[in-house]
Amino acid sequence: MTELVVRTLPSPSGVQGPGPDTYKGWLFKWTNYLKGYQRRWFVLSNGLLSYYRTQAEMAHTCRGTISLAAVHIEVGDTCHFVLTSGGRSYHLKAYSEGECQRWVSALQQAKAYATQMMPHSDDSGDEGPLAQPDRALVQGALKTLASKLEDLSTCNELIGKHGAALQRSLSELEDLRAPSDGADKLKSVNERATLLRITSNAMINACQDFVDLAEAHSRRWQRALQYEREQRHHLEETIEQLAKQHNSLERAWRESPSTHDKGAEGTLEGESSEENEDIEFFDAMEDSPAFITVPADDHSQHRHLSSNQNVTSGSLSRNWSQDDNNGSGSYLRRGRRCRIPDKPNYSLNLWSIMKNCIGKELSKIPMPVNFNEPLSMLQRLTEDLEYSELLDRAARCDSSLEQMCLVAAFSVSSYSTTVHRTGKPFNPLLGETYELDRVEEYGYRSICEQISHHPPAAAHHVISQRGWTLWQEITIDSKFRGKYISIMPLGNIHLKFHSSGNHYVWSKVTSTVHNIIVGKLWIDQSGDIIIMNHRNKDKCHLKFSPYSYFSRDVPRKVTGVVMDAEACTHYILSGTWDDKMESAKIIESSHGSGGSEGKQKTVYQTLPPKLMWKKYPLPENAENMHYFSSLALTLNEPEDGVAPTDSRLRPDQRLMEAGLWDEANTEKQRLEERQRLERRKREAQANLALEEGKEAESYQPLWFEKRTDTETGESSYVYKGGYWEAKDRQDWSQCPAIF
């Protein structure tokens, strides 16, 4: 039982008179015996009684809401009345008898209004529809309507039959020559006319019965439909209100993190006792690390237990000097562009589009280009090669374990460009391709092709003159969950080094875009990556920690270990997926104490960490260019000689990049409709082949074919060759016209 004591201000201070619309004012609410009465702003509107700490909180944070539709109002003694709803009682007390009467009157009127909005019976005598109409009742109504329709059909047949007989009799009457036969024929005509009239009356009566019954049930179903619409509208408003509250709390927490560390426990406890609401607590760390790293001191072997290892500026400079051809990180060579047109400032309510798509795959949601970035998914896959020099360095490694560390850093680096990239890439059309020829600058050539549209899947192949080949087949599985979007890439990435034959395989983690309804969009990466060397069974385990408000760890944290085939750990990896990765070689390990649940932690003594990868700074004005990196700015740059299916030639994407978003949306709809038409043609051809007893031909990619890997046993689409040769000849006759 929650006891509330209410005090209202006079009308000039903001209290409105009783009525079904709005009644509000300052009240005093009983919180607990320690804090006593606390002033709250109460609002009675649309059958709901809500309260806030201040009037300003009405815009973002509601402290409690009581629905009056099913509430029981009981007036007690000395300005006291009780609201009972859902097994919970609210004891309210006004400042005076007059105020008590005004509040009770307002609450009763609000309850009557809320009850009126509920479904009820009409004058026809039918029972009012419930929120969920009785299934048997609906089936009975449909059966009755079907019976009436059958009566109408029978009457229609009889009218046709009697009408034809009457027509014949009239014709025979006209053909009479002897007057003596007229009496008999006239009698026959009268009989048949009478039958036609009787049948017509029956038809009219049956029609009237059908219309009356249909109208009665139609009113009933319309009320049920209207009730469901109102409930849906109410739920949408509630979701938006909750999202605003969440966004406000998140912003307040971020603005005062020190307050959270010192007083979170007391604040949560106070709110719990004051509001008597359930509070969801999140663990600071999902799983405590199974090891503690101990950097070794060069001058003494004194051990330091430390959860965070700091790298000195001296070690950083040593690490950079060891990387002999790192380059400046800029992909801007002569002839490569360094900027694109600024992103227009178009406002569009994402929630208005996404609210009807909860639970659907992202690829099946029709989205305007306003939420895209001017790159396709094929180009985003190619963007993983931004730090290809990590693989160049790995190809020169003699140690497979050191090579594994660099491969792990490369797998993490592919996420560094996503930290501000909340725009959705364009879904490639079936048969769309993208090439990136960087042999002169970085020694590699890359080709991608969209091999399936539903589910969306792409195949990618890269070969480098610097000693490695990378290939992957990625299927994107995405779901809209109401408040966030989850993007789950399915499929494995393969990397093979030419000299050693080391064959590494790993998969991607889940990407999540938060604050879809309201607030600033932000992206997080979470999950585990297992990198396996199939030649010698070396393994790396990387953990991407999900962001948590209550965790004291650095955001976007990535940790990992590198092990040999015997599961002996040799390197500790640490860093963040948006900034850098470091590796520390283990020189000694031992079992320590202090683990949770009685488990011992392994204590590793390591050498000073070595910087393997550091993110390049973003170009100037990147915030106005979709936060594109230096490489991303060049991906959609027009090039001569590419295939006619290349993403650079996609018109809607080109128009969006130029800032012509309305024209881009029109072009996007045209391309999608054309793709749907092509899909229907393929389905019709397949159905025709099946009807003729032939085997239906499925879609086959142009540059990739399905093969089984001899080392991993995995079946996937791999490059079959021919693209670069066709480009040299400029023979694109095989390419479909998709744009």
Side-chain angles (χ1 to χ4, degrees):
M1 179 181 295
T2 301
E3 187 169 354
L4 304 175
V5 178
V6 180
R7 178 187 179 191
T8 61
L9 294 179
S11 297
S13 301
V15 179
Q16 298 182 4
D21 295 332
T22 302
Y23 189 86
K24 55 188 175 182
W26 287 106
L27 314 173
F28 284 87
K29 171 181 172 291
W30 177 262
T31 57
N32 53 46
Y33 288 101
L34 294 178
K35 295 187 177 182
Y37 303 122
Q38 298 293 323
R39 193 172 75 154
R40 296 289 181 263
W41 180 256
F42 274 72
V43 177
L44 177 60
S45 178
N46 295 326
L48 297 174
L49 178 64
S50 306
Y51 59 92
Y52 311 83
R53 283 186 175 176
T54 63
Q55 287 177 271
E57 277 195 347
M58 290 178 63
H60 52 80
T61 306
C62 177
R63 300 292 170 175
T65 301
I66 306 170
S67 175
L68 299 178
V71 76
H72 175 67
I73 304 174
E74 181 181 352
V75 181
D77 300 330
T78 62
C79 312
H80 182 268
F81 58 98
V82 182
L83 301 181
T84 305
S85 176
R88 184 175 179 180
S89 297
Y90 298 84
H91 291 252
L92 309 173
K93 189 175 291 185
Y95 182 69
S96 67
E97 287 286 351
E99 285 182 331
C100 179
Q101 287 298 325
R102 284 194 292 271
W103 272 102
V104 170
S105 176
L107 290 169
Q108 288 175 342
Q109 289 188 38
K111 178 183 177 181
Y113 173 76
T115 305
Q116 184 180 1
M117 295 301 294
M118 296 286 286
H120 54 277
S121 61
D122 62 4
D123 297 335
S124 65
D126 294 333
E127 295 181 1
L130 303 175
Q132 295 181 350
D134 184 72
R135 185 179 182 85
L137 189 62
V138 173
Q139 289 179 346
L142 292 176
K143 188 179 293 184
T144 304
L145 288 173
S147 175
K148 293 294 181 182
L149 189 62
E150 188 176 349
D151 292 344
L152 289 174
S153 178
T154 303
C155 289
N156 182 55
E157 292 177 1
L158 289 174
I159 286 176
K161 179 180 177 181
H162 294 318
L166 180 60
Q167 186 66 36
R168 287 196 304 271
S169 296
L170 290 172
S171 299
E172 292 173 356
L173 187 61
E174 291 176 356
D175 295 338
L176 284 179
R177 295 180 180 178
S180 59
D181 297 335
D184 295 336
K185 293 296 181 182
L186 188 61
K187 183 179 179 181
S188 175
V189 169
N190 288 332
E191 290 176 352
R192 290 175 178 176
T194 302
L195 287 174
L196 181 62
R197 178 172 56 80
I198 294 172
T199 309
S200 299
N201 289 335
M203 178 77 166
I204 293 171
N205 293 333
C207 287
Q208 189 61 47
D209 290 343
F210 183 86
V211 170
D212 291 343
L213 188 61
E215 285 181 350
H217 287 287
S218 175
R219 289 193 298 270
R220 179 188 183 89
W221 291 332
Q222 284 176 359
R223 289 197 307 274
L225 180 61
Q226 180 63 26
Y227 174 74
E228 293 298 335
R229 285 173 176 167
E230 292 171 356
Q231 290 294 99
R232 174 178 172 177
H233 180 68
H234 177 66
L235 287 175
E236 289 177 2
E237 290 180 341
T238 304
I239 289 174
E240 290 195 67
Q241 185 182 29
L242 290 174
K244 291 177 181 178
Q245 294 177 19
H246 179 275
N247 187 53
S248 174
L249 291 173
E250 178 182 337
R251 185 168 60 251
W253 183 88
R254 287 178 174 173
E255 290 174 355
S256 56
S258 59
T259 306
H260 160 262
D261 292 335
K262 294 179 181 179
E265 183 178 354
T267 303
L268 289 173
E269 182 179 355
E271 289 294 328
S272 176
S273 61
E274 179 180 338
E275 307 297 345
N276 195 24
E277 296 174 347
D278 294 334
I279 296 179
E280 184 176 2
F281 292 91
F282 298 90
D283 294 332
M285 296 182 65
E286 187 173 338
D287 291 309
S288 182
F291 58 84
I292 302 174
T293 56
V294 187
D297 195 315
D298 293 338
H299 302 287
S300 65
Q301 291 298 319
H302 181 67
R303 296 187 175 190
H304 304 277
L305 293 179
S306 173
S307 59
N308 297 317
Q309 299 176 336
N310 297 322
V311 185
T312 64
S313 59
S315 65
L316 283 177
S317 62
R318 288 196 304 272
N319 291 332
W320 280 113
S321 65
Q322 290 170 358
D323 302 337
D324 45 346
N325 282 318
N326 269 350
S328 65
S330 174
Y331 270 77
L332 310 180
R333 296 296 179 101
R334 290 183 180 179
R336 304 286 183 203
R337 66 183 183 181
C338 58
R339 65 170 293 110
I340 59 175
D342 286 356
K343 176 183 177 181
N345 186 21
Y346 284 120
S347 61
L348 191 63
N349 185 4
L350 179 60
W351 173 243
S352 66
I353 296 173
M354 303 292 282
K355 64 185 179 183
N356 297 322
C357 305
I358 297 176
K360 293 184 180 179
E361 291 184 24
L362 186 61
S363 61
K364 294 185 178 180
I365 299 175
M367 299 281 287
V369 301
N370 304 54
F371 304 111
N372 284 44
E373 61 178 21
L375 291 177
S376 74
M377 181 58 72
L378 303 181
Q379 291 165 313
R380 285 292 293 266
L381 276 180
T382 307
E383 199 176 346
D384 290 353
L385 300 171
E386 178 151 13
Y387 298 93
S388 62
E389 73 273 6
L390 289 170
L391 302 184
D392 298 341
R393 289 162 52 194
R396 299 192 296 268
C397 284
D398 295 327
S399 167
S400 63
L401 295 172
E402 291 181 6
Q403 189 177 73
M404 175 70 84
C405 292
L406 290 168
V407 172
F410 174 78
S411 70
V412 175
S413 70
S414 63
Y415 297 98
S416 63
T417 61
T418 66
V419 63
H420 300 297
R421 301 270 291 279
T422 54
K424 175 181 176 289
F426 280 78
N427 289 330
L429 303 176
L430 187 63
E432 186 173 331
T433 61
Y434 181 73
E435 67 156 80
L436 189 68
D437 191 343
R438 292 291 189 267
V439 171
E440 293 184 5
E441 299 100 321
Y442 302 103
Y444 67 79
R445 275 179 164 179
S446 167
I447 175 66
C448 292
E449 182 179 2
Q450 187 77 359
I451 59 175
S452 172
H453 186 62
H454 283 309
H460 184 202
H461 181 269
V462 190
I463 185 166
S464 172
Q465 295 177 348
R466 299 178 183 176
W468 53 270
T469 300
L470 181 145
W471 67 97
Q472 60 180 317
E473 179 195 335
I474 296 295
T475 301
I476 302 298
D477 184 18
S478 54
K479 290 290 185 182
F480 173 52
R481 304 295 185 182
K483 194 174 184 300
Y484 62 90
I485 292 175
S486 295
I487 303 166
M488 294 135 314
L490 308 176
N492 291 326
I493 304 170
H494 295 255
L495 173 65
K496 194 165 188 176
F497 291 98
H498 303 164
S499 59
S500 64
N502 288 333
H503 183 179
Y504 298 91
V505 180
W506 70 94
S507 58
K508 291 179 174 286
V509 296
T510 297
S511 301
T512 307
V513 182
H514 295 269
N515 286 353
I516 296 299
I517 300 176
V518 70
K520 183 179 180 181
L521 294 175
W522 61 280
I523 194 166
D524 194 22
Q525 315 288 348
S526 60
D528 295 279
I529 291 180
I530 305 295
I531 306 176
M532 176 66 72
N533 183 346
H534 283 268
R535 189 184 69 84
N536 60 12
K537 306 306 178 185
D538 290 347
K539 186 169 72 170
C540 174
H541 184 184
L542 293 172
K543 180 177 179 60
F544 287 63
S545 299
Y547 178 76
S548 171
Y549 298 140
F550 303 103
S551 175
R552 297 182 181 179
D553 284 337
V554 60
R556 309 178 187 96
K557 180 180 178 181
V558 180
T559 55
V561 292
V562 174
M563 299 172 285
D564 59 21
E566 284 75 33
C568 179
T569 307
H570 293 267
Y571 286 90
I572 300 296
L573 307 181
S574 61
T576 58
W577 54 262
D578 67 327
D579 185 27
K580 65 180 180 180
M581 283 298 293
E582 299 170 343
S583 67
K585 187 173 183 179
I586 298 172
I587 58 176
E588 186 180 342
S589 63
S590 61
H591 293 289
S593 59
S596 61
E597 300 180 0
K599 297 180 181 179
Q600 289 186 336
K601 288 188 176 182
T602 303
V603 180
Y604 293 123
Q605 184 177 355
T606 67
L607 294 175
K610 175 184 176 182
L611 182 67
M612 297 185 296
W613 161 72
K614 177 74 174 175
K615 181 186 175 182
Y616 301 143
L618 289 175
E620 185 180 355
N621 196 41
E623 65 276 7
N624 295 320
M625 299 186 294
H626 308 274
Y627 286 98
F628 280 180
S629 64
S630 298
L631 172 61
L633 288 173
T634 69
L635 291 178
N636 206 42
E637 185 176 10
E639 290 189 14
D640 295 331
V642 298
T645 54
D646 196 274
S647 298
R648 297 176 181 89
L649 304 177
R650 180 165 175 164
D652 53 348
Q653 188 173 301
R654 181 65 60 192
L655 288 167
M656 185 201 174
E657 183 184 273
L660 305 174
W661 286 15
D662 291 337
E663 294 85 346
N665 276 318
T666 302
E667 193 65 24
K668 183 173 183 286
Q669 292 176 7
R670 181 188 69 81
L671 291 175
E672 290 174 347
E673 183 57 36
R674 178 172 180 170
Q675 181 167 241
R676 283 190 285 269
L677 184 61
E678 290 295 327
R679 176 175 54 82
R680 294 191 194 105
K681 287 181 180 178
R682 288 194 299 271
E683 291 175 351
Q685 292 173 357
N687 292 333
L688 182 61
L690 291 175
E691 290 175 1
E692 295 175 353
K694 301 178 182 178
E695 185 177 354
E697 295 183 3
S698 60
Y699 175 82
Q700 295 299 323
L702 189 57
W703 309 111
F704 289 80
E705 63 182 3
K706 200 150 198 173
R707 294 180 192 165
T708 300
D709 192 285
T710 56
E711 293 185 20
T712 65
E714 176 188 350
S715 180
S716 62
Y717 280 91
V718 297
Y719 180 57
K720 65 180 181 180
Y723 179 86
W724 302 108
E725 293 77 7
K727 183 181 180 181
D728 292 338
R729 300 190 308 269
Q730 281 298 293
D731 178 13
W732 302 117
S733 57
Q734 303 178 71
C735 295
I738 61 174
F739 299 138

